[in-house]
Amino acid sequence: MPVPSSASVPRRLTHASLVLRLAALHTTFAVLKHVVPLPALARWAWLRPVGPRDLALEDRTLRCMVRLRRWLPADRGDCLHGSLALYRVLSAAGSAPRLVVGFRKDGPAVAGHAWVEVDEVAILEAPPEGAGFVAAVEF
């Protein structure tokens, strides 16, 4: 029996599938970040593009990640594992994302933040420089 093409799959099912995939990645990286060094996580997250840049998948991924983040608690501290999940899906879509980790001084403490850039623009986050974060590591 032939497998239906992705064009024949209802749009909602396609979005739900992507949200579930992002949620699974988000959860997996949430656990792994406590036991695996960041360079190894970044290597594991990166996928070789399966073809030319897929702008439709890129757009769908961003919209699904926004939806997923709305369902998560507001103060979730998930910038790293959320960024790793996004980095993985966008790398496979040929978007050439960069995973960036930066820091800023918060009084006597240092705060860290992770974000993803595509075409040298931070996506799904306010520009980190505006929040005072300085990039320290990029993958």
Side-chain angles (χ1 to χ4, degrees):
M1 176 176 248
V3 176
S5 71
S6 62
S8 67
V9 176
R11 186 173 146 189
R12 283 186 147 174
L13 185 57
T14 302
H15 282 262
S17 172
L18 185 53
V19 169
L20 288 174
R21 181 175 173 211
L22 287 166
L25 289 167
H26 192 275
T27 303
T28 300
F29 286 124
V31 173
L32 290 176
K33 74 177 185 178
H34 295 287
V35 294
V36 177
L38 181 58
L41 279 176
R43 280 192 307 275
W44 291 353
W46 177 263
L47 290 177
R48 181 175 290 126
V50 294
R53 187 172 181 179
D54 185 342
L55 293 174
L57 177 56
E58 188 175 317
D59 180 60
R60 214 169 32 250
T61 300
L62 296 178
R63 285 187 281 125
C64 287
M65 190 60 145
V66 167
R67 180 172 292 149
L68 176 63
R69 290 175 72 171
R70 271 190 260 151
W71 295 337
L72 298 171
D75 185 28
R76 55 197 182 276
D78 70 345
C79 62
L80 179 58
H81 45 282
S83 293
L84 284 162
L86 192 57
Y87 180 68
R88 182 173 183 89
V89 175
L90 292 178
S91 64
S95 303
R98 286 189 324 182
L99 175 66
V100 184
V101 177
F103 299 94
R104 76 172 178 210
K105 188 94 166 123
D106 274 352
V110 174
H113 183 51
W115 64 93
V116 175
E117 294 180 353
V118 173
D119 298 329
E120 298 185 22
V121 175
I123 56 175
L124 293 187
E125 301 281 343
E129 302 82 30
F133 288 97
V134 177
V137 180
E138 296 181 5
F139 300 94

